[in-house]
Amino acid sequence: MTTRARLPFIARAVPYIPLGLFAALGATLAYLVRLPCRGGGWNDQVSTYTNFCYSDIYPLFFDRRLATQSPYFADVPFDKHVEYPVVLGEVMQAVSWLVRLLEPEVPAQGALFYDLTVILMGVSLVAGVLLMAAVAGPTRRWDAAWYALAPAVILAAYINWDLVAGALSMGMLLAWARKRQVLAGVLLGLAIATKFYPLMFVGALFLLTLRTARWRPFLVTTGSAVAAWLVVNVPFMILAWDGWRRFYVFSQERGVDWGSPWLFFQTKGWPVLGTTDVSLLGIVSLGLLCLGIAVLTLSAPRRPRLAQICFLALAAFMMTNKVWSPQFVLWLVPFAVLARPNWKPLALWQVAEVWYFFAIWLYLLSQPPVSREDLGIGDDTYFTAVWGRIITIAIMMAFVVRDILRPDKDVVRQAGVDDQVGGVFDEAPDRFTLRAAT
């Protein structure tokens, strides 16, 4: 009997070095995109929008009183509390502490807060790309270059803090793929406590567990996720209730906003779709799409890959949401590539995302309070960008559904791989399907 010798760490790390460098290049390009605002343009909305360099990072430092107070505990009106889950709020807190230590002058602290946050986001992008490469496996490792250098990633990287959740999500996938369920659950819980969208991955795990009956790993991961979420949330729930609940109240009460298809229906006055409560419409439409994903997962001739179900669930969540900010592209890129690494639909989607990135700032130029119609675009032109994203993502979803129904068309499985992300699902036999039930 022979055993395969494990390569030294350096030898195993060599294939990842170019991808790490590509990610660092993408992070640097993202910083250069916002240099016009970094030099003071954030203090003028017209300059911010015409230079396409908007970021939440700089204005929220002042508007949420990070220069003087702590998130969630700040003595501010309710609507001035940080409107993010606690991990993200504490990331903001840690950077603001460092800023106060390094720069005593408050006016100069905003730019330093942005710079230090960008460094952290750049590190998060590099980490996310390397983790994605490990998740993709040796046959598809270079697919991670999409996450490193996709044009929409570069343009949207530093609008908000989303890259932290991206790194945690990729870490969760890698841990699950390596059958480290406790670690996967902890990372999933932290990701949900950073941005709420990773909650959709619980549903993906559940559906594949239902099909394979691998219940123990699922329950361990879910329990670990709940425990991790409680550990980081409960102290704030007890000690800073108003600050903690601000994110949840804001998410519930927020009306239809930029990027959402519901905004089109409302603006155009469509019956039902434009007049019914948006929260109800979003929940019902998401529920219907998730039901379709569940039926697909349990009736497909071969068990779908985990990345395919995660992508479909996340895309459904984004398309039915009340708001679809430009930076949400960062959520979807790695999962879209893992689900179906075919460059043509991915490139088409990137074109649509790039057009939306420019369209939203041009549209805001023509809206109050700026109201510079001479510099901006109107409703109809803006909504071409909104529907461009929806249509191109729907096309990618259709191809993924086709791959699930016809596994021979799945380029990942054509390399002799069952599910490189699947962990305990990889090569697992079916225990329950709708085909068998009928």
Side-chain angles (χ1 to χ4, degrees):
M1 181 178 179
T2 60
T3 58
R4 182 178 298 177
R6 186 172 176 83
L7 293 173
F9 173 77
I10 294 179
R12 287 182 281 122
V14 166
Y16 295 92
I17 293 175
L19 286 167
L21 293 175
F22 282 141
L25 173 61
T28 303
L29 292 174
Y31 183 76
L32 295 177
V33 165
R34 282 176 173 73
L35 275 183
C37 284
R38 169 62 179 78
W42 282 313
N43 297 318
D44 175 60
Q45 283 185 301
V46 172
S47 176
T48 298
Y49 297 152
T50 54
N51 285 290
F52 309 104
C53 53
Y54 176 82
S55 174
D56 290 325
I57 297 169
Y58 179 87
L60 288 185
F61 177 76
F62 297 104
D63 198 54
R64 298 300 182 263
R65 310 293 193 270
L66 297 178
T68 56
Q69 302 192 55
S70 300
Y72 311 114
F73 296 92
D75 183 17
V76 295
F78 182 70
D79 62 351
K80 291 297 182 180
H81 278 292
V82 168
E83 62 269 48
Y84 301 119
V86 296
V87 170
L88 205 53
E90 288 311 291
V91 167
M92 298 166 70
Q93 173 69 85
V95 176
S96 65
W97 277 342
L98 185 57
V99 166
R100 293 178 216 168
L101 181 66
L102 297 175
E103 177 54 69
E105 298 295 327
V106 172
Q109 288 178 350
L112 181 58
F113 180 76
Y114 172 76
D115 288 341
L116 294 179
T117 301
V118 161
I119 292 172
L120 177 59
M121 294 304 104
V123 170
S124 297
L125 178 60
V126 173
V129 168
L130 295 177
L131 289 167
M132 179 185 169
V135 165
T139 62
R140 305 295 318 185
R141 184 177 293 132
W142 279 92
D143 292 339
W146 277 99
Y147 195 18
L149 292 172
V153 170
I154 292 170
L155 291 173
Y158 304 141
I159 293 178
N160 203 277
W161 290 261
D162 299 74
L163 287 169
V164 175
L168 290 170
S169 296
M170 287 297 104
M172 178 275 294
L173 277 188
L174 182 60
W176 178 266
R178 300 288 172 83
K179 301 180 182 180
R180 301 179 64 180
Q181 283 89 29
V182 173
L183 178 60
V186 169
L187 292 173
L188 178 58
L190 293 177
I192 294 170
T194 304
K195 288 281 185 175
F196 212 53
Y197 73 86
L199 184 64
M200 301 303 295
F201 307 147
V202 177
L205 291 171
F206 172 77
L207 290 174
L208 292 174
T209 298
L210 188 59
R211 179 155 180 158
T212 61
R214 299 294 174 92
W215 287 102
R216 187 178 185 280
F218 171 76
L219 293 174
V220 169
T221 297
T222 304
S224 301
V226 172
W229 188 91
L230 289 173
V231 165
V232 297
N233 276 273
V234 168
F236 295 92
M237 295 169 69
I238 295 173
L239 301 175
W241 172 251
D242 278 347
W244 176 83
R245 71 187 182 97
R246 165 67 174 145
F247 164 73
Y248 301 95
V249 173
F250 177 69
S251 300
Q252 180 182 5
E253 295 181 348
R254 188 176 192 176
V256 65
D257 213 331
W258 311 121
S260 171
W262 309 119
L263 179 64
F264 169 81
F265 297 129
Q266 283 193 358
T267 302
K268 298 299 182 179
W270 279 41
V272 182
L273 293 177
T275 57
T276 308
D277 178 67
V278 174
S279 296
L280 177 62
L281 286 171
I283 291 172
V284 171
S285 56
L286 177 60
L288 291 173
L289 286 175
C290 288
L291 178 61
I293 294 169
V295 171
L296 175 68
T297 303
L298 298 175
S299 62
R302 182 175 177 181
R303 170 186 35 78
R305 292 185 290 112
L306 176 59
Q308 292 174 318
I309 305 305
C310 286
F311 164 72
L312 291 175
L314 183 53
F317 175 74
M318 292 170 63
M319 293 173 71
T320 59
N321 207 354
K322 292 185 289 186
V323 59
W324 192 345
S325 299
Q327 68 269 19
F328 288 6
V329 66
L330 303 173
W331 304 358
L332 199 58
V333 166
F335 290 94
V337 175
L338 289 170
R340 193 173 191 274
N342 183 292
W343 73 270
K344 291 181 181 179
L346 288 170
L348 182 65
W349 171 47
Q350 285 298 297
V351 170
E353 287 287 353
V354 169
W355 168 225
Y356 183 81
F357 176 84
F358 290 109
I360 179 59
W361 312 124
L362 292 173
Y363 186 56
L364 290 176
L365 278 169
S366 67
Q367 302 299 301
V370 181
S371 298
R372 289 292 304 271
E373 291 84 356
D374 58 316
L375 297 175
I377 59 176
D379 291 345
D380 292 339
T381 306
Y382 169 68
F383 286 126
T384 65
V386 171
W387 284 106
R389 298 165 104 194
I390 296 170
I391 292 169
T392 52
I393 290 178
I395 290 171
M396 292 195 299
M397 293 174 74
F399 275 120
V400 170
V401 170
R402 193 276 308 267
D403 290 349
I404 291 173
L405 295 176
R406 297 185 58 188
D408 59 299
K409 298 292 186 179
D410 186 350
V411 296
V412 173
R413 282 178 163 162
Q414 287 174 2
V417 174
D418 177 46
D419 189 350
Q420 80 277 49
V421 186
V424 297
F425 302 142
D426 188 31
E427 304 290 354
D430 288 333
R431 300 300 183 192
F432 171 77
T433 66
L434 293 178
R435 290 169 178 258
T438 57

